[in-house]
Amino acid sequence: METSLEKKLTHLGILIITLIYFRSTIGVVFGSVVADLVVVSTIVLLPAFIFLIFRRQVYGHRKTVFFYIVYCFLAFLITPLSSEYGSYFGGFIGLTNLVFLVVFWLVLLSYRNMEDNIQKFARLFLIIGGVNAVGAIIQSTISLDLFGLVSHGVYTNEQILANENVNVRAVSFISSPQSLALFLSFCLCLSFSYDWRRQSLKYFTRGLLFFAGVLTVSKVFFVFMFFYILFSYLSPRKIIKLFFSVVLFFTILLFFKEHLGRVFEMINILENIESYSAFIIWSDSFKYAIQFPEVIFGHGVGVFSRGAQSLLNYQLLYGSTESFFIQVLAEIGIIGLAFLLSLTFSAVKKYYAYDRRLMGLLSAFFIVGFFTPALYGYTIGTSFYFTLLLPLVSKKSNIEQ
């Protein structure tokens, strides 16, 4: 049974998660300052984390999580020395992305075993995903700005969308087609590890999430789904299931071919990768990240953060690395990246022994992390760090038996 403190932390965590996923709408309704306070609210769990340390509950893979957190704070302390753009203010913004969400999940997941954590938080993610899916459908058919609740410079602007060269793309309450696509694909894949009580609700929810994901017209939605299927069923015993799953996946895509021109552009992009605009950004950002000696400890926590660049009025290279892992390398160096990769591979190993579908979920996050910076953001970061820390910090369960 959960103690009173554990219940309070869980309720607080659920509230913060919900507010993070509706942060854009909160910003539209109440202002950007209130929306930023939603993210900063993750700090309130720091005392709980310290409490865990004094109770000597940091053991096993939690030690690696702890060392990663300590390392990031040390990197934060030397941030002003690491880069001409580095500052403690920008570093603090970076900490909210790279550390506070890790602390947040370390605290929330440590009180329950793996299965209980999956059921409790998957239910929340699916509810939020369902609301965003309904919002995507309404936005695509009735109101571009969801009756004034969301804002986007392009995809909620009727005059811009009147241009035939601009696709109508769902952003829903998350207000970013790519982030919405990643979140919906995460929810859809997570639904296969959730214990549904009603079969009809299960199929309805999956259909709703998939249809809304298509409305984002985002390549990352289908890339995430593809690698989820690949890593979930890649084994000699399941090779036939993998084959038919992939065939079914691409068959469904053909039904939406006329609406998914951007998605089918991936074939041309792969054939001419060097001329792809993002490839140039990846290349230059990687060269910047591996400059010596900054490659060891990084160029400064938060230095590539959009928030830091906007508030401190500077632009580093292209303003974004367009890759989560390149950004991690650039900000906290090869040591910080090694910590994060160590956590990832440890989690994959545990998932392999527990549930291949969850292994596929984390593996899909890992793959798309090379090609999108979305994992650095608060919305997708919340989903990613939940998936990453779930098998590492949950109480002992059948995953370790």
Side-chain angles (χ1 to χ4, degrees):
M1 294 291 292
E2 290 182 294
T3 66
S4 177
L5 173 62
E6 292 166 359
K7 289 181 179 179
K8 289 179 180 178
L9 286 175
T10 299
H11 294 156
L12 178 61
I14 288 174
L15 174 62
I16 292 174
I17 293 169
T18 304
L19 292 176
I20 285 176
Y21 282 103
F22 292 96
R23 177 170 166 262
S24 176
T25 299
I26 292 173
V28 171
V29 178
F30 299 104
S32 59
V33 174
V34 178
D36 292 337
L37 288 176
V38 170
V39 175
V40 177
S41 65
T42 57
I43 302 173
V44 300
L45 289 181
L46 280 174
F49 171 64
I50 297 173
F51 177 70
L52 285 176
I53 295 176
F54 282 108
R55 288 188 61 182
R56 299 181 180 180
Q57 291 189 6
V58 179
Y59 55 84
H61 289 290
R62 296 185 192 181
K63 288 183 179 179
T64 308
V65 177
F66 172 69
F67 288 137
Y68 167 77
I69 293 169
V70 171
Y71 171 80
C72 286
F73 272 103
L74 292 176
F76 165 74
L77 293 177
I78 65 171
T79 288
L81 305 175
S82 304
S83 170
E84 59 182 309
Y85 302 107
S87 71
Y88 285 127
F89 181 74
F92 179 79
I93 295 176
L95 283 179
T96 63
N97 294 93
L98 294 173
V99 176
F100 290 172
L101 290 177
V102 174
V103 173
F104 176 84
W105 283 118
L106 175 60
V107 173
L108 289 183
L109 297 175
S110 295
Y111 290 118
R112 282 170 297 275
N113 64 35
M114 180 105 161
E115 186 60 32
D116 289 341
N117 277 326
I118 292 173
Q119 297 307 312
K120 182 173 289 291
F121 291 106
R123 183 187 306 115
L124 176 63
F125 283 128
L126 289 169
I127 291 173
I128 297 174
V131 172
N132 273 281
V134 172
I137 295 172
I138 293 175
Q139 182 197 6
S140 300
T141 56
I142 302 176
S143 173
L144 285 175
D145 62 356
L146 273 176
F147 309 108
L149 292 176
V150 298
S151 176
H152 191 288
V154 176
Y155 302 112
T156 58
N157 189 313
E158 292 186 8
Q159 293 183 340
I160 295 178
L161 291 175
N163 185 333
E164 61 181 12
N165 294 320
V166 179
N167 291 317
V168 175
R169 303 178 63 187
V171 295
S172 194
F173 297 101
I174 290 177
S175 287
S176 164
Q178 186 179 85
S179 293
L180 176 62
L182 263 175
F183 179 59
L184 292 175
S185 58
F186 160 73
C187 291
L188 179 55
C189 296
L190 184 61
S191 73
F192 289 91
S193 297
Y194 179 66
D195 185 17
W196 294 89
R197 295 181 180 180
R198 296 176 59 183
Q199 294 296 310
S200 57
L201 181 60
K202 174 176 69 175
Y203 294 117
F204 173 78
T205 301
R206 289 176 182 172
L208 183 67
L209 292 171
F210 183 83
F211 182 59
V214 171
L215 294 177
T216 65
V217 198
S218 178
K219 295 184 284 289
V220 74
F221 177 79
F222 300 98
V223 171
F224 191 99
M225 292 294 299
F226 173 79
F227 282 106
Y228 169 76
I229 294 172
L230 180 66
F231 287 106
S232 294
Y233 300 117
L234 187 58
S235 69
R237 290 183 300 173
K238 296 183 177 179
I239 196 68
I240 297 178
K241 191 172 184 178
L242 169 65
F243 174 77
F244 284 109
S245 296
V246 172
V247 170
L248 177 62
F249 177 72
F250 283 104
T251 301
I252 293 174
L253 284 190
L254 291 176
F255 283 101
F256 296 97
K257 186 174 182 179
E258 293 183 3
H259 305 283
L260 298 176
R262 293 186 72 263
V263 176
F264 285 93
E265 286 176 3
M266 286 190 293
I267 299 175
N268 294 328
I269 290 174
L270 292 174
E271 292 176 348
N272 305 280
I273 186 66
E274 292 186 0
S275 61
Y276 183 45
S277 59
F279 179 81
I280 299 173
I281 298 176
W282 294 329
S283 177
D284 290 348
S285 299
F286 181 72
K287 292 176 182 177
Y288 176 82
I290 61 174
Q291 292 177 358
F292 187 84
E294 289 85 356
V295 66
I296 300 176
F297 300 107
H299 287 267
V301 179
V303 71
F304 262 111
S305 166
R306 291 185 183 275
Q309 293 185 67
S310 175
L311 294 173
L312 297 178
N313 195 29
Y314 72 90
Q315 179 174 310
L316 182 57
L317 295 181
Y318 304 93
S320 171
T321 64
E322 293 301 315
S323 166
F324 171 69
F325 289 111
I326 293 178
Q327 185 163 345
V328 170
L329 176 63
E331 292 195 5
I332 57 177
I334 191 68
I335 297 177
L337 180 61
F339 270 121
L340 193 59
L341 292 179
S342 175
L343 291 173
T344 302
F345 293 138
S346 297
V348 166
K349 183 178 179 180
K350 282 186 171 291
Y351 278 142
Y352 182 83
Y354 179 75
D355 186 340
R356 288 291 300 274
R357 294 168 299 185
L358 290 171
M359 188 195 79
L361 185 62
L362 180 58
S363 299
F365 266 129
F366 179 75
I367 296 297
V368 301
F370 286 99
F371 309 108
T372 174
L375 276 65
Y376 189 91
Y378 305 118
T379 302
I380 303 306
T382 300
S383 306
F384 168 65
Y385 288 116
F386 163 78
T387 311
L388 175 63
L389 296 184
L390 177 64
L392 301 179
V393 304
S394 296
K395 279 186 175 180
K396 184 177 180 181
S397 60
N398 58 337
I399 192 174
E400 300 178 84
Q401 293 175 357

Coordinates of all heavy atoms in Angstrom, one line a residue, residues 39-112:
V39 N 6.6 24.1 -16.1 CA 7.8 23.3 -16.2 C 8.7 23.4 -15.0 O 9.2 22.5 -14.4 CB 8.6 23.8 -17.5 CG1 10.0 23.1 -17.5 CG2 7.8 23.5 -18.7
V40 N 8.8 24.7 -14.5 CA 9.6 24.9 -13.3 C 9.0 24.1 -12.1 O 9.7 23.8 -11.1 CB 9.7 26.4 -13.0 CG1 10.5 26.7 -11.7 CG2 10.4 27.1 -14.2
S41 N 7.7 23.8 -12.1 CA 7.1 23.1 -11.0 C 7.7 21.7 -10.8 O 7.5 21.2 -9.7 CB 5.6 23.0 -11.3 OG 5.3 22.1 -12.4
T42 N 8.4 21.2 -11.8 CA 9.1 19.9 -11.5 C 10.1 20.0 -10.4 O 10.5 19.0 -9.8 CB 9.8 19.4 -12.8 OG1 10.7 20.4 -13.3 CG2 8.8 19.2 -13.9
I43 N 10.6 21.3 -10.1 CA 11.6 21.5 -9.1 C 11.0 21.1 -7.7 O 11.8 20.7 -6.8 CB 12.0 22.9 -9.0 CG1 12.6 23.3 -10.4 CG2 13.1 23.2 -8.0 CD1 12.9 24.8 -10.5
V44 N 9.7 21.1 -7.5 CA 9.1 20.8 -6.2 C 9.4 19.4 -5.8 O 9.3 19.1 -4.6 CB 7.6 21.1 -6.2 CG1 7.3 22.5 -6.6 CG2 6.9 20.2 -7.2
L45 N 9.8 18.5 -6.7 CA 10.1 17.1 -6.4 C 11.5 16.9 -6.0 O 11.9 15.8 -5.6 CB 9.7 16.2 -7.5 CG 8.2 16.1 -7.7 CD1 7.9 15.1 -8.9 CD2 7.5 15.6 -6.5
L46 N 12.4 18.0 -6.2 CA 13.8 17.8 -5.8 C 14.0 17.4 -4.3 O 14.8 16.6 -4.0 CB 14.5 19.1 -6.1 CG 14.9 19.3 -7.6 CD1 15.5 20.7 -7.8 CD2 15.9 18.2 -8.0
P47 N 13.2 18.1 -3.4 CA 13.3 17.6 -2.0 C 13.0 16.2 -1.8 O 13.6 15.5 -0.9 CB 12.3 18.6 -1.2 CG 12.2 19.8 -2.1 CD 12.3 19.2 -3.5
A48 N 12.0 15.7 -2.5 CA 11.6 14.3 -2.4 C 12.8 13.4 -2.9 O 13.1 12.3 -2.3 CB 10.4 14.0 -3.2
F49 N 13.5 13.8 -3.9 CA 14.7 13.1 -4.4 C 15.8 13.0 -3.3 O 16.4 12.0 -3.1 CB 15.2 13.7 -5.7 CG 16.5 13.2 -6.2 CD1 16.6 11.9 -6.6 CD2 17.6 14.0 -6.2 CE1 17.8 11.3 -7.0 CE2 18.8 13.5 -6.6 CZ 18.9 12.2 -7.0
I50 N 16.0 14.2 -2.7 CA 17.0 14.2 -1.6 C 16.6 13.3 -0.5 O 17.4 12.6 0.1 CB 17.2 15.7 -1.1 CG1 17.7 16.6 -2.3 CG2 18.1 15.8 0.1 CD1 17.8 18.0 -1.9
F51 N 15.3 13.3 -0.2 CA 14.8 12.4 0.8 C 15.1 10.9 0.5 O 15.4 10.1 1.4 CB 13.3 12.6 1.0 CG 12.6 11.7 2.0 CD1 12.8 11.8 3.3 CD2 11.7 10.7 1.5 CE1 12.2 11.0 4.3 CE2 11.1 9.9 2.4 CZ 11.4 10.0 3.8
L52 N 15.0 10.6 -0.8 CA 15.2 9.2 -1.2 C 16.7 8.9 -1.0 O 17.0 7.7 -0.6 CB 14.9 9.1 -2.7 CG 13.4 9.0 -3.1 CD1 13.3 8.9 -4.6 CD2 12.8 7.8 -2.5
I53 N 17.6 9.8 -1.2 CA 19.0 9.6 -1.0 C 19.3 9.3 0.5 O 20.0 8.3 0.8 CB 19.8 10.8 -1.5 CG1 19.7 11.0 -3.0 CG2 21.3 10.6 -1.1 CD1 20.4 12.2 -3.5
F54 N 18.7 10.1 1.4 CA 19.0 9.9 2.8 C 18.4 8.6 3.3 O 18.8 8.1 4.3 CB 18.5 11.1 3.6 CG 19.4 12.3 3.5 CD1 19.0 13.4 2.8 CD2 20.6 12.3 4.2 CE1 19.8 14.5 2.7 CE2 21.4 13.4 4.1 CZ 21.1 14.5 3.4
R55 N 17.4 8.1 2.6 CA 16.8 6.8 3.0 C 17.6 5.7 2.3 O 17.2 4.5 2.4 CB 15.3 6.7 2.5 CG 14.4 7.6 3.3 CD 12.9 7.3 2.9 NE 12.6 6.0 3.2 CZ 11.3 5.4 2.9 NH1 10.4 6.2 2.4 NH2 11.1 4.2 3.2
R56 N 18.7 6.0 1.7 CA 19.5 5.0 1.0 C 18.8 4.1 0.0 O 19.0 2.9 0.0 CB 20.2 4.2 2.1 CG 21.1 5.0 3.1 CD 21.7 4.1 4.1 NE 22.6 4.9 5.0 CZ 23.3 4.4 6.0 NH1 23.3 3.1 6.2 NH2 24.0 5.1 6.8
Q57 N 18.0 4.7 -0.7 CA 17.2 4.0 -1.8 C 17.9 4.0 -3.1 O 17.3 3.6 -4.1 CB 15.8 4.5 -1.8 CG 15.0 4.1 -0.6 CD 13.5 4.4 -0.8 OE1 13.1 4.8 -1.9 NE2 12.7 4.3 0.2
V58 N 19.1 4.7 -3.2 CA 19.8 4.7 -4.5 C 20.7 3.5 -4.6 O 21.7 3.4 -4.0 CB 20.6 6.0 -4.5 CG1 21.4 6.1 -5.9 CG2 19.8 7.3 -4.4
Y59 N 20.2 2.5 -5.4 CA 21.0 1.3 -5.6 C 20.8 0.8 -7.0 O 19.9 1.3 -7.7 CB 20.5 0.2 -4.6 CG 19.0 0.0 -4.6 CD1 18.5 -0.9 -5.6 CD2 18.1 0.6 -3.8 CE1 17.1 -1.1 -5.6 CE2 16.8 0.4 -3.8 CZ 16.3 -0.5 -4.8 OH 14.9 -0.7 -4.8
G60 N 21.6 -0.2 -7.4 CA 21.5 -0.7 -8.8 C 21.6 0.4 -9.8 O 22.5 1.2 -9.8
H61 N 20.7 0.3 -10.8 CA 20.8 1.3 -11.9 C 20.4 2.7 -11.4 O 20.7 3.7 -12.1 CB 19.9 0.9 -13.0 CG 20.4 -0.4 -13.8 ND1 21.5 -0.3 -14.6 CD2 19.9 -1.6 -13.8 CE1 21.7 -1.5 -15.1 NE2 20.8 -2.3 -14.6
R62 N 19.8 2.8 -10.3 CA 19.5 4.2 -9.7 C 20.8 4.9 -9.5 O 20.8 6.1 -9.5 CB 18.7 4.1 -8.5 CG 17.3 3.4 -8.7 CD 16.5 3.5 -7.4 NE 15.3 2.7 -7.5 CZ 14.4 2.5 -6.5 NH1 14.6 3.2 -5.4 NH2 13.4 1.8 -6.6
K63 N 21.9 4.2 -9.2 CA 23.2 4.8 -9.0 C 23.6 5.6 -10.3 O 24.1 6.7 -10.2 CB 24.2 3.8 -8.6 CG 24.1 3.3 -7.2 CD 25.2 2.3 -6.8 CE 25.1 1.8 -5.4 NZ 26.2 0.9 -5.0
T64 N 23.5 4.9 -11.4 CA 23.8 5.5 -12.7 C 23.0 6.8 -12.9 O 23.5 7.8 -13.4 CB 23.7 4.5 -13.8 OG1 24.4 3.3 -13.5 CG2 24.3 5.1 -15.1
V65 N 21.7 6.7 -12.6 CA 20.8 7.8 -12.8 C 21.3 8.9 -11.9 O 21.4 10.1 -12.3 CB 19.4 7.4 -12.4 CG1 18.5 8.7 -12.5 CG2 18.8 6.3 -13.3
F66 N 21.7 8.6 -10.6 CA 22.1 9.6 -9.7 C 23.4 10.2 -10.2 O 23.6 11.5 -10.1 CB 22.4 8.9 -8.3 CG 23.1 9.8 -7.3 CD1 22.4 10.9 -6.8 CD2 24.3 9.5 -6.9 CE1 23.0 11.7 -5.8 CE2 25.0 10.3 -6.0 CZ 24.3 11.4 -5.4
F67 N 24.4 9.5 -10.7 CA 25.6 10.0 -11.2 C 25.4 10.9 -12.4 O 26.1 11.9 -12.6 CB 26.6 8.9 -11.5 CG 27.2 8.2 -10.3 CD1 27.3 6.8 -10.3 CD2 27.6 8.9 -9.2 CE1 27.8 6.1 -9.2 CE2 28.1 8.3 -8.1 CZ 28.2 6.9 -8.1
Y68 N 24.4 10.5 -13.2 CA 24.1 11.4 -14.4 C 23.6 12.7 -13.9 O 24.0 13.8 -14.4 CB 23.0 10.7 -15.3 CG 22.4 11.6 -16.3 CD1 23.1 11.9 -17.5 CD2 21.1 12.2 -16.1 CE1 22.5 12.8 -18.4 CE2 20.6 13.0 -17.0 CZ 21.3 13.3 -18.2 OH 20.7 14.2 -19.1
I69 N 22.7 12.7 -12.9 CA 22.2 14.0 -12.4 C 23.3 14.8 -11.8 O 23.4 16.0 -12.0 CB 21.1 13.7 -11.3 CG1 19.9 13.0 -12.0 CG2 20.7 14.9 -10.6 CD1 18.9 12.4 -11.0
V70 N 24.1 14.2 -11.0 CA 25.3 14.9 -10.3 C 26.2 15.5 -11.4 O 26.6 16.7 -11.3 CB 26.0 14.0 -9.4 CG1 27.3 14.7 -8.9 CG2 25.2 13.6 -8.2
Y71 N 26.5 14.7 -12.4 CA 27.3 15.2 -13.5 C 26.8 16.4 -14.2 O 27.5 17.4 -14.5 CB 27.6 14.1 -14.5 CG 28.3 14.6 -15.7 CD1 29.7 14.8 -15.7 CD2 27.6 15.0 -16.9 CE1 30.4 15.3 -16.8 CE2 28.3 15.5 -18.0 CZ 29.7 15.7 -18.0 OH 30.3 16.2 -19.0
C72 N 25.5 16.4 -14.5 CA 24.8 17.5 -15.2 C 24.9 18.8 -14.3 O 25.0 19.9 -14.8 CB 23.3 17.2 -15.5 SG 23.2 16.0 -16.9
F73 N 24.7 18.6 -13.0 CA 24.8 19.8 -12.1 C 26.2 20.3 -12.1 O 26.5 21.6 -12.1 CB 24.4 19.4 -10.7 CG 22.9 19.6 -10.5 CD1 22.0 18.5 -10.4 CD2 22.3 20.9 -10.3 CE1 20.7 18.7 -10.2 CE2 21.0 21.1 -10.1 CZ 20.1 20.0 -10.1
L74 N 27.2 19.5 -12.2 CA 28.6 19.9 -12.2 C 28.9 20.6 -13.6 O 29.6 21.6 -13.6 CB 29.6 18.7 -12.1 CG 29.6 18.1 -10.7 CD1 30.5 16.8 -10.7 CD2 30.0 19.1 -9.6
A75 N 28.3 20.1 -14.7 CA 28.5 20.7 -16.0 C 27.8 22.1 -15.9 O 28.2 23.0 -16.6 CB 27.9 19.8 -17.0
F76 N 26.7 22.2 -15.2 CA 26.0 23.4 -15.1 C 26.9 24.5 -14.4 O 26.9 25.6 -14.8 CB 24.7 23.2 -14.3 CG 24.0 24.5 -13.8 CD1 23.4 25.4 -14.6 CD2 24.1 24.8 -12.4 CE1 22.8 26.5 -14.1 CE2 23.5 25.9 -11.9 CZ 22.9 26.8 -12.8
L77 N 27.6 24.1 -13.4 CA 28.4 25.0 -12.6 C 29.6 25.6 -13.4 O 30.0 26.7 -13.2 CB 29.0 24.3 -11.4 CG 28.0 23.9 -10.3 CD1 28.7 23.1 -9.2 CD2 27.3 25.1 -9.7
I78 N 30.1 24.8 -14.4 CA 31.2 25.3 -15.3 C 30.6 25.9 -16.6 O 31.4 26.2 -17.5 CB 32.2 24.2 -15.6 CG1 31.6 23.1 -16.4 CG2 32.8 23.7 -14.3 CD1 32.6 22.1 -16.9
T79 N 29.3 26.0 -16.7 CA 28.7 26.4 -18.0 C 29.3 27.8 -18.5 O 29.6 28.0 -19.6 CB 27.2 26.5 -17.9 OG1 26.7 25.2 -17.9 CG2 26.6 27.3 -19.1
P80 N 29.4 28.8 -17.6 CA 29.9 30.1 -18.1 C 31.3 30.0 -18.6 O 31.8 30.9 -19.3 CB 29.9 31.0 -16.8 CG 28.8 30.4 -15.9 CD 29.0 28.9 -16.2
L81 N 32.1 29.0 -18.2 CA 33.5 28.8 -18.7 C 33.5 28.0 -20.0 O 34.6 28.0 -20.7 CB 34.3 28.1 -17.6 CG 34.3 28.8 -16.3 CD1 35.1 27.9 -15.3 CD2 34.9 30.2 -16.3
S82 N 32.4 27.3 -20.3 CA 32.5 26.4 -21.4 C 32.2 27.0 -22.8 O 32.6 26.4 -23.8 CB 31.4 25.2 -21.2 OG 31.7 24.6 -19.9
S83 N 31.5 28.1 -22.8 CA 31.1 28.7 -24.1 C 30.9 30.2 -24.0 O 30.6 30.7 -22.9 CB 29.8 28.0 -24.6 OG 29.3 28.7 -25.7
E84 N 31.1 30.8 -25.1 CA 30.9 32.3 -25.1 C 29.5 32.7 -24.9 O 29.2 33.8 -24.5 CB 31.4 32.9 -26.4 CG 30.7 32.3 -27.7 CD 31.2 32.9 -29.0 OE1 31.2 34.1 -29.1 OE2 31.5 32.1 -29.9
Y85 N 28.6 31.7 -25.1 CA 27.1 32.0 -24.9 C 26.6 31.4 -23.6 O 25.5 31.6 -23.2 CB 26.3 31.3 -26.1 CG 26.7 31.8 -27.4 CD1 27.4 31.0 -28.3 CD2 26.3 33.1 -27.8 CE1 27.7 31.5 -29.6 CE2 26.7 33.6 -29.1 CZ 27.4 32.8 -30.0 OH 27.7 33.2 -31.2
G86 N 27.5 30.7 -22.9 CA 27.1 30.0 -21.7 C 26.8 31.0 -20.5 O 27.5 32.0 -20.4
S87 N 25.8 30.7 -19.8 CA 25.5 31.5 -18.6 C 24.6 30.6 -17.6 O 24.1 29.6 -18.0 CB 24.6 32.7 -19.0 OG 23.3 32.4 -19.4
Y88 N 24.6 31.0 -16.4 CA 23.8 30.2 -15.4 C 22.3 30.3 -15.7 O 21.6 29.3 -15.4 CB 24.1 30.7 -14.0 CG 25.4 30.3 -13.5 CD1 26.3 31.2 -12.9 CD2 25.8 28.9 -13.5 CE1 27.5 30.8 -12.5 CE2 27.0 28.5 -13.0 CZ 27.9 29.5 -12.5 OH 29.1 29.1 -12.0
F89 N 21.9 31.4 -16.3 CA 20.5 31.5 -16.6 C 20.1 30.5 -17.7 O 19.1 29.7 -17.6 CB 20.1 32.9 -17.1 CG 18.7 33.1 -17.4 CD1 17.7 33.2 -16.5 CD2 18.3 33.2 -18.8 CE1 16.4 33.4 -16.8 CE2 16.9 33.4 -19.1 CZ 16.0 33.4 -18.1
G90 N 20.9 30.5 -18.8 CA 20.7 29.5 -19.9 C 20.9 28.1 -19.4 O 20.2 27.2 -19.8
G91 N 21.9 27.9 -18.5 CA 22.1 26.6 -18.0 C 21.0 26.1 -17.1 O 20.7 24.9 -17.2
F92 N 20.3 27.0 -16.4 CA 19.1 26.5 -15.6 C 18.0 26.0 -16.5 O 17.4 25.0 -16.2 CB 18.6 27.7 -14.8 CG 17.4 27.4 -14.0 CD1 17.5 26.7 -12.8 CD2 16.1 27.8 -14.4 CE1 16.4 26.3 -12.0 CE2 15.0 27.4 -13.6 CZ 15.2 26.7 -12.5
I93 N 17.8 26.8 -17.7 CA 16.8 26.3 -18.6 C 17.2 24.9 -19.2 O 16.3 24.0 -19.3 CB 16.7 27.3 -19.8 CG1 16.2 28.6 -19.3 CG2 15.8 26.8 -20.9 CD1 16.1 29.7 -20.3
G94 N 18.5 24.7 -19.4 CA 18.9 23.4 -19.9 C 18.7 22.3 -18.8 O 18.4 21.2 -19.2
L95 N 18.9 22.6 -17.6 CA 18.7 21.7 -16.5 C 17.2 21.2 -16.5 O 16.9 20.0 -16.2 CB 19.1 22.3 -15.1 CG 20.6 22.4 -14.8 CD1 20.8 23.0 -13.4 CD2 21.2 21.0 -14.9
T96 N 16.3 22.1 -16.7 CA 14.9 21.7 -16.7 C 14.6 20.7 -17.8 O 13.7 19.9 -17.6 CB 14.0 23.0 -16.9 OG1 14.2 23.5 -18.2 CG2 14.2 24.0 -15.8
N97 N 15.4 20.7 -18.9 CA 15.2 19.7 -19.9 C 15.9 18.4 -19.6 O 15.4 17.3 -19.8 CB 15.7 20.3 -21.3 CG 14.9 21.5 -21.8 OD1 15.2 22.6 -21.5 ND2 13.8 21.2 -22.5
L98 N 17.2 18.5 -19.2 CA 18.0 17.4 -19.1 C 18.0 16.7 -17.8 O 18.4 15.5 -17.7 CB 19.5 17.8 -19.5 CG 19.8 18.2 -20.9 CD1 21.2 18.7 -21.0 CD2 19.5 17.1 -21.9
V99 N 17.7 17.4 -16.7 CA 17.8 16.9 -15.4 C 16.5 16.8 -14.6 O 16.1 15.8 -14.0 CB 18.8 17.7 -14.5 CG1 18.9 17.2 -13.1 CG2 20.2 17.6 -15.2
F100 N 15.7 17.9 -14.6 CA 14.6 17.9 -13.7 C 13.5 16.9 -14.1 O 12.9 16.3 -13.2 CB 13.9 19.3 -13.8 CG 14.7 20.4 -13.1 CD1 14.4 21.7 -13.2 CD2 15.9 20.1 -12.4 CE1 15.2 22.7 -12.6 CE2 16.7 21.0 -11.8 CZ 16.3 22.4 -11.9
L101 N 13.4 16.6 -15.4 CA 12.4 15.5 -15.8 C 12.9 14.1 -15.3 O 12.1 13.2 -15.0 CB 12.2 15.5 -17.3 CG 11.4 16.7 -17.8 CD1 11.3 16.6 -19.3 CD2 10.0 16.7 -17.2
V102 N 14.3 14.0 -15.3 CA 14.8 12.7 -14.8 C 14.6 12.6 -13.3 O 14.2 11.5 -12.8 CB 16.4 12.7 -15.1 CG1 17.0 11.5 -14.4 CG2 16.6 12.7 -16.6
V103 N 14.8 13.6 -12.6 CA 14.5 13.6 -11.1 C 13.0 13.4 -10.9 O 12.6 12.6 -10.0 CB 14.9 15.0 -10.5 CG1 14.5 15.0 -9.0 CG2 16.4 15.2 -10.6
F104 N 12.2 14.0 -11.7 CA 10.7 13.9 -11.6 C 10.3 12.4 -11.7 O 9.6 11.9 -10.8 CB 10.1 14.7 -12.8 CG 8.6 14.6 -12.9 CD1 7.8 15.4 -12.1 CD2 8.0 13.7 -13.8 CE1 6.4 15.4 -12.3 CE2 6.7 13.7 -13.9 CZ 5.9 14.5 -13.1
W105 N 10.8 11.7 -12.7 CA 10.4 10.3 -12.9 C 11.1 9.4 -11.9 O 10.5 8.4 -11.4 CB 10.7 9.8 -14.3 CG 9.7 10.3 -15.3 CD1 9.8 11.2 -16.3 CD2 8.2 10.1 -15.2 NE1 8.7 11.4 -17.0 CE2 7.7 10.8 -16.3 CE3 7.4 9.3 -14.4 CZ2 6.3 10.7 -16.6 CZ3 6.1 9.2 -14.7 CH2 5.5 9.9 -15.8
L106 N 12.3 9.8 -11.5 CA 13.0 8.9 -10.5 C 12.2 8.9 -9.2 O 12.0 7.8 -8.6 CB 14.4 9.5 -10.2 CG 15.2 8.9 -9.1 CD1 15.5 7.4 -9.4 CD2 16.5 9.6 -8.9
V107 N 11.7 10.0 -8.8 CA 10.9 10.1 -7.6 C 9.5 9.4 -7.7 O 9.2 8.5 -6.9 CB 10.6 11.6 -7.2 CG1 9.6 11.6 -6.0 CG2 11.9 12.3 -6.8
L108 N 8.8 9.6 -8.8 CA 7.5 9.1 -9.0 C 7.5 7.6 -9.2 O 6.6 6.9 -8.8 CB 6.8 9.8 -10.2 CG 6.3 11.2 -10.0 CD1 5.6 11.7 -11.2 CD2 5.4 11.3 -8.8
L109 N 8.5 7.0 -9.9 CA 8.5 5.6 -10.3 C 9.1 4.7 -9.2 O 8.9 3.5 -9.2 CB 9.2 5.4 -11.6 CG 8.7 6.1 -12.8 CD1 9.6 5.9 -14.0 CD2 7.3 5.5 -13.1
S110 N 9.8 5.4 -8.2 CA 10.5 4.6 -7.2 C 9.6 3.9 -6.2 O 10.1 3.0 -5.5 CB 11.5 5.5 -6.5 OG 12.5 5.9 -7.4
Y111 N 8.4 4.3 -6.1 CA 7.5 3.8 -5.0 C 6.7 2.6 -5.4 O 6.1 1.9 -4.5 CB 6.5 4.9 -4.6 CG 7.2 6.1 -3.9 CD1 7.2 7.4 -4.4 CD2 7.8 5.9 -2.7 CE1 7.8 8.4 -3.7 CE2 8.4 6.9 -2.0 CZ 8.4 8.2 -2.5 OH 9.0 9.2 -1.9
R112 N 6.6 2.2 -6.7 CA 5.8 1.1 -7.1 C 6.6 0.2 -8.0 O 7.7 0.5 -8.5 CB 4.6 1.6 -8.0 CG 3.5 2.2 -7.2 CD 2.5 2.9 -8.1 NE 3.1 4.0 -8.8 CZ 3.2 5.2 -8.3 NH1 2.7 5.5 -7.1 NH2 3.8 6.2 -9.0

